[in-house]
Amino acid sequence: MAADTSVEMFSKVLENQMLQSTKVVEEQLDAEIQKLDQMDEDELERLKERRLEALKKSQQQKQEWLSKGHGEYREIPSEKDFFQEVKESKNVVCHFYKDTTFRCMILDKHLATLSKKHIETKFLKLNAEKSPFLCERLCIKVIPTLALVKDGKTQDFIVGFTDLGNTDDFTTETLEWRLGCSGIINYSGNLMDPPFQSQKKFGTSVTKLDKKTIRGKKYDSDSDDD
């Protein structure tokens, strides 16, 4: 009997919370509608112009990204190209891979998908065997490794699949979430809610390899002379 009473009380509390949330949303919508109703023609015209200008800037930014190689997942031939690419773009994801590593092919599939969805970020791949200087400088010892570069500086690394659920079967959404945690893409989901089927099962934790990275190191075109 007591259990039934507790359930009933909980249901009522939950119902009241939902009603309150709905009321808040309705009040916000009413306020917006009232604000629009009170605008004269000149104000509405200015609002329209601002929105058109914002849309125009957004399209210009998109075209600029595409001109710099965003919107596709592509391979760069050398370490020299890496330095140039990270100087050109604010956000870069670079996959250090080997042809003989099966997990690299798994990453390729997901990165190709994300490159089209997140054109604000440049997605690259570089053969680790052809870039010994970079691998040594970045302390890359596990393949695959994703180097996440923001404003010409290493922001973070994703080493292997540990942060992706420790499984080969992770989803594109899981990789997207992990990139979002580093701020290297514009992530619209909830960073506090990783899209694992069972977080406890995988025992996942996001590790920022502070001792093994050169995060904060600025890349210059003459870096390979260091």
Side-chain angles (χ1 to χ4, degrees):
M1 187 71 177
D4 292 339
T5 302
S6 298
V7 171
E8 184 177 352
M9 290 178 62
F10 176 76
S11 297
K12 287 183 178 180
V13 169
L14 184 61
E15 183 179 353
N16 287 333
Q17 289 178 339
M18 293 178 65
L19 288 172
Q20 287 296 324
S21 298
T22 302
K23 184 178 179 182
V24 169
V25 172
E26 289 177 349
E27 289 175 350
Q28 290 175 342
L29 287 174
D30 289 341
E32 288 296 322
I33 292 172
Q34 184 178 6
K35 185 178 178 181
L36 288 172
D37 287 341
Q38 292 173 348
M39 284 185 175
D40 57 30
E41 290 186 8
D42 289 340
E43 289 176 321
L44 286 172
E45 187 63 28
R46 286 195 293 271
L47 177 62
K48 180 181 178 181
E49 289 176 357
R50 287 197 296 269
R51 289 180 175 175
L52 287 173
E53 183 63 25
L55 180 61
K56 182 180 178 180
K57 288 182 178 179
S58 176
Q59 289 298 320
Q60 289 175 341
Q61 178 66 83
K62 181 179 179 180
Q63 290 303 315
E64 181 182 347
W65 283 330
L66 292 175
S67 70
K68 292 180 179 179
H70 293 228
E72 59 179 336
Y73 176 51
R74 56 194 172 85
E75 182 165 3
I76 53 176
S78 69
E79 295 172 318
K80 183 178 180 180
D81 294 284
F82 173 86
F83 293 116
Q84 184 61 37
E85 294 281 1
V86 300
K87 284 176 63 179
E88 287 181 353
S89 298
K90 180 180 179 65
N91 297 306
V92 178
V93 175
C94 187
H95 173 201
F96 287 84
Y97 80 98
K98 287 184 180 180
D99 289 324
T100 55
T101 304
F102 174 71
R103 282 187 160 186
C104 292
M105 290 185 278
I106 296 175
L107 263 184
D108 283 340
K109 176 185 67 174
H110 296 297
L111 291 170
T113 299
L114 291 175
S115 68
K116 293 178 176 61
K117 180 176 181 181
H118 292 280
I119 65 169
E120 73 277 5
T121 301
K122 181 183 288 183
F123 288 81
L124 307 171
K125 62 186 295 188
L126 179 60
N127 191 323
E129 295 177 323
K130 296 180 181 179
S131 50
F133 167 77
L134 263 179
C135 288
E136 180 179 356
R137 183 163 181 176
L138 298 175
C139 298
I140 293 176
K141 299 179 180 178
V142 175
I143 298 297
T145 287
L146 297 183
L148 313 183
V149 185
K150 180 180 285 288
D151 294 321
K153 300 178 183 179
T154 50
Q155 180 83 8
D156 199 359
F157 292 89
I158 301 176
V159 181
F161 290 175
T162 302
D163 292 350
L164 304 173
N166 237 358
T167 173
D168 290 354
D169 298 325
F170 67 88
T171 63
T172 302
E173 289 72 24
T174 296
L175 177 57
E176 183 180 28
W177 165 82
R178 179 60 182 84
L179 294 173
C181 288
S182 294
I184 209 71
I185 61 171
N186 296 336
Y187 185 67
S188 59
N190 183 2
L191 292 175
M192 301 302 294
D193 185 22
F196 305 129
Q197 291 183 347
S198 174
Q199 192 172 4
K200 289 183 178 179
K201 175 182 176 182
F202 295 133
T204 301
S205 61
V206 177
T207 305
K208 292 191 174 183
L209 309 167
D210 295 324
K211 295 182 180 180
K212 296 184 179 180
T213 73
I214 57 166
R215 189 178 302 109
K217 179 83 173 181
K218 186 75 175 180
Y219 289 120
D220 298 312
S221 58
D222 58 350
S223 293
D224 46 354
D225 293 330
D226 292 350

